[in-house]
């Protein structure tokens, strides 16, 4: 509950949320609905262009961060893959296989 109120300042208390009375799917829908309603109220109080700019910034920042993490993971894979040649395995094939598995996860 603390994480929810810290991440999305909804002001929910454990008694008001009544999470124990619902299933996991119902709790998920309840929380998402609360977040959407709170966001819609926030948007009404702000300028449309400012909200659009902020949404664009957040989205691009998230994509950039995830892309950087992907590139660091591929770089780490590239640095460690040469050791496979000592095991009589083709490093290029091993790199492609592990990179594909990394993307699939």
């Amino acid at each position: 509950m603390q994480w929810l109120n810290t991440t999305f300042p909804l002001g929910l208390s454990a008694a008001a949320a009544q999470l124990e009375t619902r299933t996991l799917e119902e709790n998920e829908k309840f929380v998402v609905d609360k977040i959407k309603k709170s966001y819609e109220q926030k948007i009404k109080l702000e300028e449309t262009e400012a909200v659009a700019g902020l949404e664009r910034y957040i989205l691009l920042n998230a994509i950039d961060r995830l892309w950087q993490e992907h590139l660091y993971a591929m770089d780490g894979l590239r640095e460690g893959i040469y050791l496979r040649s000592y095991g009589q395995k083709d490093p290029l094939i091993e790199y492609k296989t592990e990179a594909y598995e990394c993307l699939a996860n």
Side-chain angles (χ1 to χ4, degrees), residues 64-97:
D64 185 46
R65 182 179 43 81
L66 292 171
W67 180 247
Q68 287 177 6
E69 288 177 11
H70 168 72
L71 291 178
Y72 287 137
M74 292 295 105
D75 191 42
L77 178 61
R78 183 176 54 90
E79 288 179 7
I81 207 73
Y82 77 94
L83 296 174
R84 302 293 174 91
S85 62
Y86 291 124
Q88 301 298 318
K89 295 184 179 182
D90 184 10
L92 181 60
I93 301 297
E94 292 295 312
Y95 179 81
K96 288 179 180 179
T97 302

